[in-house]
Amino acid sequence: MSELAVEATGLVKHFTTRKQVTKAVDGIDLQIPTGSVFGLLGPNGAGKTTVVRMLATLLRPDGGSARVLGHDVVSDADAVRGAVGLTGQYASVDEDLTGTENLLMLARLYGFSGVAARQRVEGLLEAFSLSDAGARQVKTYSGGMRRRIDLAASLVLAPRVLFLDEPTTGLDPRSRNQVWDIVRVLVADGATVLLTTQYLEEADQLADRISVIDHGRVIAEGTSTELKQSVGQGAVALRLADAGQRAVAAAVVEKVLGSEPTLPTDPYALTARVPDDGGDAVAALLPALSEAGIAVPEFSLGQPSLDEVFLTLTGKPLPDDAGTETAGDAPRAEEVSR
């Protein structure tokens, strides 16, 4: 068996919207080792979902080639479908059925006998902490429970490759951590996971390697550490005593360090990259802030975040709240035959 679970070369996908051709994916190359988590990180419309749909054989590429577990996604699509699982951005289970009924239906469709199907379903419900909710209709589940039952549905056949398309979008932190734990267990058991996400922390926590994509192209690839090191040797993180002074503080930071600060969701916080030769500038930063009348109760110097990486590469930060893919990434449009 190849050491690469997924290999793509020059993948291209076009769509037509309002009689205009949109290149959703523009020559993407991927190499995903077996037994790893590979992250596709990018904003809405970057091309993440379109890449996943091509690899899962739901869309036919207009150019390039891709193989999953050695099977071509076009000429050997049936073999690919038999070896992969897919959890999309929207729940694929029937909300009017119970969790148990959904999984039993899938197990029987996949060819499990009655007894084997029941055993498989009970094991999945227990693994995803849904045993107590198995008899309830899915429409009564919380957001986190729905994502877990959706993940369970994609694992009925224990796929060797699992595509997770923004699996934690809209979840609260506790539910998100539960999904992360499930992903770690799957990989420990030998599965390969391709994860698309807009959450910087998610990519940082889970992915062995990350491709940053924007406008249908890979603009950087590496481990989280390699990507952070590519934009500088360090970053400063400040926490202000007064959130109302953040704009003034950002101006002081930019003037002293020469880099535009990143403004996290927390109104009291800001971060900024430190240039490679910026030791003297860092030493001058706190006195400059003090001179401007800005109190800084917390100050730290460390690695750049993935947010700084993305800002440097694209000129814009990722959104704080992840949503669904929008125009440019698998739009509802007529495909262009190539």
Side-chain angles (χ1 to χ4, degrees), residues 184-204:
R184 294 185 181 104
V185 170
L186 293 173
V187 175
D189 287 341
T192 303
V193 174
L194 172 59
L195 170 78
T196 77
T197 184
Q198 294 185 67
Y199 291 121
L200 298 154
E201 184 185 5
E202 187 160 77
D204 219 352

Side-chain angles (χ1 to χ4, degrees), residues 314-334:
T314 68
K316 57 183 180 294
L318 276 169
D320 292 321
D321 298 318
T324 56
E325 298 291 350
T326 55
D329 196 359
R332 294 183 178 179
E334 177 188 359

Side-chain angles (χ1 to χ4, degrees), residues 46 59 122 156 194 196 230 299 321:
L59 288 176
E122 289 175 353
V156 170
L194 172 59
T196 77
S230 71
F299 175 92
D321 298 318

Side-chain angles (χ1 to χ4, degrees), residues 35-116:
S36 67
V37 179
F38 191 94
L40 286 182
L41 177 66
N44 283 341
K48 305 186 300 296
T49 293
T50 303
V51 170
V52 167
R53 289 178 178 175
M54 285 190 286
L55 294 176
T57 75
L58 298 179
L59 288 176
R60 187 184 182 95
D62 293 320
S65 62
R67 302 178 71 83
V68 178
L69 297 173
H71 304 293
D72 188 273
V73 298
V74 175
S75 62
D76 205 3
D78 286 343
V80 174
R81 295 182 191 121
V84 305
L86 169 63
T87 297
Q89 295 175 14
Y90 304 99
S92 60
V93 294
D94 190 327
E95 294 190 346
D96 290 325
L97 298 180
T98 67
T100 297
E101 288 169 343
N102 269 287
L103 299 184
L104 277 175
M105 177 179 65
L106 289 172
R108 295 307 301 271
L109 288 172
Y110 285 137
F112 285 79
S113 68
V115 173

